[in-house]
């Protein structure tokens, strides 16, 4: 009997909806990096001053969007890992071989995305962190939670180190970064606006990709932490329709909300200059953005889990589920569309934060429509089909009619 992915009947709709919600947030955060030299701003610790409506959009993003959605996506990867492993075990399949092939395919997607299209790829990070996650599958829930909280403590301790440095040292570092940023920014923009595709890739390799890969050990820490939380949730059955843990989910929502409040107040105070942190401002903003990203992540997830138990809300939010069911296809197509639009058509550096957000929402709505139309006929998105076919070692039936015949055949066996 050939191995195969889960059927439509086995899918947990709420997970698809939350994944689609997370993909929207990730797209909103990524959009400035598509249309502006956001990479250079991040690398050299610069702060881009916004005016008018862009100022308020930036504030809203910092408070409620930035770092709040990649954490959800990472959590769902850990949850999906548990579901994949558990169901392959129940079917008597070779879990280690299948998951290894699954990660290898994801790494290929991520490497191609990173090298050929965009520096902000997360798939290669997920693939590598997924190897580490495999070693936690059989560990106790308590052990998983200890590791997850410990990893979060480590990453935030590292982020806080600059707060302990003398202000004079930080001033020197900032001055040097400003000078380097000013020297390299014109070349960076010129390449994005005028270079050929091959020249663009060669320039990005030295300027972007090497930096991204060298920072991978740090990037893996929070990603693995969220993977472990997702693995815990899967093991506890928190997303099952008959879960006995509704009270725990409600307590998580309340606790996450209360913990988020002081982080958001401090962050808003720093962004609005009600609080004066001097040279330490950017470090403090980064720290509180990250901390609120963790707490709001759990608030968003727990709120949606409880909300989606209501059939009316599940129907209202179902369009997000179509995007979430084709998350890989939609994630990569966002990059393809935006690179074509901003770099290919020459709009790079000519779009503001608010207008970029509107473009993002328009593209996302188009993805909702496309995903809905595609999934009416097919079982998977095109890249999901390729990923699953590689994982299971044979081409999967693509059309839904094939899925019905296959299910009927299995039932009659």
């Amino acid at each position: 009997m050939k191995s195969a992915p889960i059927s439509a009947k086995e899918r947990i709709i709420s997970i698809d909806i939350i994944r689609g919600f997370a993909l929207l947030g990730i797209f909103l955060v990524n959009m400035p990096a598509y249309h502006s030299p956001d990479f250079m701003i991040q690398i050299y610790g610069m702060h881009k001053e916004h005016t008018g409506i862009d100022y308020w959009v930036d504030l809203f993003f910092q408070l409620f969007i930035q770092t709040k959605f990649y954490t959800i996506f990472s959590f769902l990867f850990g949850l999906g890992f548990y579901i994949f492993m558990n169901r392959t075990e129940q079917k008597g399949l070779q879990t280690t071989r299948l998951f290894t092939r699954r990660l290898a395919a994801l790494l290929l997607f991520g490497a191609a995305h990173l090298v050929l299209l965009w520096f902000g790829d997360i798939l290669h990070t997920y693939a590598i962190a997924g190897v580490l996650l495999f070693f936690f599958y059989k560990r106790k829930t308590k052990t998983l939670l200890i590791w997850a909280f410990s990893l979060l403590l480590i990453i935030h301790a590292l982020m806080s180190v600059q707060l302990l440095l003398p202000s004079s040292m930080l001033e020197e570092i900032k001055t040097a970064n400003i000078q380097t940023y000013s020297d390299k920014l014109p070349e960076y923009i010129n390449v994005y606006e005028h270079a050929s595709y091959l020249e663009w890739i060669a320039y990005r390799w030295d300027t972007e990709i090497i930096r991204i890969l060298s920072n991978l050990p740090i990037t893996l820490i929070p990603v693995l932490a969220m993977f472990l939380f997702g693995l815990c949730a899967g093991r506890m059955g928190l997303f099952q329709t008959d879960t006995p843990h509704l009270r725990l989910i409600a307590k998580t929502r309340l606790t996450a909300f209360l913990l988020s409040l002081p982080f958001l107040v401090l962050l808003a105070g720093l962004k609005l200059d009600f609080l004066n942190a001097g040279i330490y401002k950017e470090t403090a903003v980064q720290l509180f953005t990250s901390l609120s990203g963790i707490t709001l992540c759990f608030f968003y997830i727990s709120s949606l889990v409880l909300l989606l138990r209501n059939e009316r809300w599940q129907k209202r939010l179902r369009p997000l589920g179509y995007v979430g069911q084709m998350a890989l296809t939609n994630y990569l197509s966002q990059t393809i569309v935006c690179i074509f639009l901003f770099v290919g058509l020459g709009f790079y550096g000519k779009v503001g934060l608010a207008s970029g957000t509107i473009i993002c929402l328009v593209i996302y709505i188009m993805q909702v429509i496309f995903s809905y139309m595609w999934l009416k006929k097919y079982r998977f998105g095109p890249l999901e089909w390729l990923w699953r076919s590689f994982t299971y070692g044979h081409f999967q039936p693509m059309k839904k009619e094939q899925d019905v015949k296959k299910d009927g055949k299995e039932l009659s066996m």
Side-chain angles (χ1 to χ4, degrees):
M1 178 180 175
K2 288 185 177 180
S3 56
I6 62 174
S7 67
K9 294 179 180 178
E10 294 178 289
R11 297 197 69 90
I12 301 176
I13 301 301
S14 61
I15 296 178
D16 288 332
I17 293 174
I18 296 172
R19 188 182 293 113
F21 175 68
L23 196 62
L24 172 59
I26 290 172
F27 194 16
L28 288 168
V29 171
N30 288 345
M31 181 55 77
Y34 288 132
H35 63 64
S36 302
D38 198 58
F39 177 83
M40 299 295 282
I41 293 172
Q42 294 176 24
I43 288 296
Y44 294 105
M46 299 293 103
H47 174 66
K48 185 175 182 180
E49 294 292 340
H50 296 282
T51 58
I53 190 172
D54 284 357
Y55 175 86
W56 297 105
V57 172
D58 175 62
L59 178 62
F60 178 81
F61 273 32
Q62 202 77 48
L63 291 176
F64 304 109
I65 307 293
Q66 192 74 35
T67 76
K68 282 71 176 176
F69 288 87
Y70 94 87
T71 45
I72 298 177
F73 216 67
S74 300
F75 176 95
L76 293 176
F77 186 95
L79 173 63
F81 163 76
Y82 172 79
I83 294 173
F84 177 89
M85 297 293 286
N86 182 254
R87 286 177 173 169
T88 52
E89 283 180 342
Q90 289 178 358
K91 294 177 180 180
L93 304 177
Q94 296 179 333
T95 56
T96 301
R97 181 175 64 87
L98 289 175
F99 189 66
T100 300
R101 292 173 65 91
R102 184 176 174 84
L103 289 182
L106 189 64
L107 183 60
L108 289 175
F109 281 124
H113 187 214
L114 176 65
V115 174
L116 301 179
L117 290 171
W118 189 53
F119 70 86
D121 172 74
I122 194 65
L123 302 180
H124 72 285
T125 306
Y126 279 17
I128 296 171
V131 175
L132 301 176
L133 181 63
F134 183 80
F135 295 101
F136 287 93
Y137 179 56
K138 297 295 185 180
R139 305 298 290 271
K140 297 179 180 178
T141 300
K142 182 179 179 181
T143 302
L144 298 179
L145 291 174
I146 291 174
W147 269 93
F149 281 113
S150 297
L151 289 170
L152 290 181
L153 179 62
I154 290 171
I155 191 63
H156 289 97
L158 292 173
M159 292 172 62
S160 304
V161 167
Q162 287 195 34
L163 297 174
L164 304 177
L165 298 178
S167 59
S168 57
M169 181 183 296
L170 290 180
E171 289 285 1
E172 292 178 7
I173 294 173
K174 184 176 181 179
T175 301
N177 283 343
I178 291 174
Q179 184 61 51
T180 306
Y181 172 77
S182 300
D183 293 341
K184 293 189 174 184
L185 183 62
E187 179 187 23
Y188 186 89
I189 295 176
N190 182 64
V191 169
Y192 265 77
E193 290 181 341
H194 304 295
S196 68
Y197 180 66
L198 292 180
E199 291 172 338
W200 181 67
I201 290 179
Y203 177 80
R204 288 183 55 249
W205 179 263
D206 291 332
T207 305
E208 297 177 348
I209 298 172
I210 296 300
R211 285 180 177 270
I212 293 297
L213 295 178
S214 63
N215 197 48
L216 192 57
I218 300 299
T219 308
L220 286 172
I221 296 176
V223 169
L224 181 57
M226 297 311 300
F227 279 9
L228 294 175
F229 283 122
L231 175 55
C232 284
R235 181 173 292 173
M236 296 173 65
L238 297 181
F239 285 79
Q240 298 295 332
T241 54
D242 58 348
T243 179
H245 299 295
L246 291 179
R247 183 172 296 181
L248 174 62
I249 296 172
K251 286 183 178 179
T252 300
R253 179 178 61 176
L254 178 59
T255 302
F257 174 74
L258 294 176
L259 289 175
S260 298
L261 289 178
F263 297 143
L264 293 175
V265 169
L266 290 169
L267 186 56
L270 289 167
K271 291 290 292 182
L272 295 170
D273 291 323
F274 294 151
L275 300 175
N276 182 17
I279 192 64
Y280 300 101
K281 177 181 177 179
E282 291 307 313
T283 301
V285 167
Q286 182 185 23
L287 177 62
F288 291 125
T289 300
S290 180
L291 288 170
S292 63
I294 301 298
T295 56
L296 280 182
C297 161
F298 287 112
F299 174 71
Y300 290 158
I301 291 174
S302 56
S303 296
L304 283 170
V305 168
L306 295 174
L307 187 66
L308 291 172
R309 295 186 66 81
N310 184 305
E311 288 188 8
R312 287 187 179 180
W313 277 105
Q314 193 170 114
K315 290 180 180 179
R316 290 170 183 169
L317 298 178
R318 187 68 181 93
L320 297 178
Y322 301 130
V323 178
Q325 194 171 336
M326 293 173 50
L328 179 62
T329 296
N330 285 312
Y331 173 70
L332 293 178
S333 65
Q334 287 169 0
T335 297
I336 294 171
V337 170
C338 289
I339 293 299
F340 172 76
L341 180 63
F342 299 118
V343 180
L345 297 184
F347 290 100
Y348 189 81
K350 300 178 177 63
V351 176
L353 192 58
S355 53
T357 300
I358 294 173
I359 293 172
C360 172
L361 294 174
V362 170
I363 294 173
Y364 187 84
I365 291 172
M366 293 173 64
Q367 288 187 315
V368 170
I369 297 171
F370 172 76
S371 299
Y372 170 72
M373 297 302 294
W374 182 274
L375 291 172
K376 284 180 69 175
K377 188 174 182 180
Y378 300 106
R379 300 173 66 204
F380 318 113
L383 293 183
E384 284 74 16
W385 172 81
L386 187 61
W387 189 16
R388 284 163 168 76
S389 296
F390 186 95
T391 298
Y392 293 97
H394 58 89
F395 291 120
Q396 299 295 310
M398 188 68 162
K399 292 186 177 181
K400 284 193 171 181
E401 290 81 357
Q402 293 174 292
D403 193 24
V404 171
K405 292 177 182 178
K406 175 177 173 293
D407 286 346
K409 185 177 180 180
E410 287 182 351
L411 287 172
S412 64
M413 288 176 66

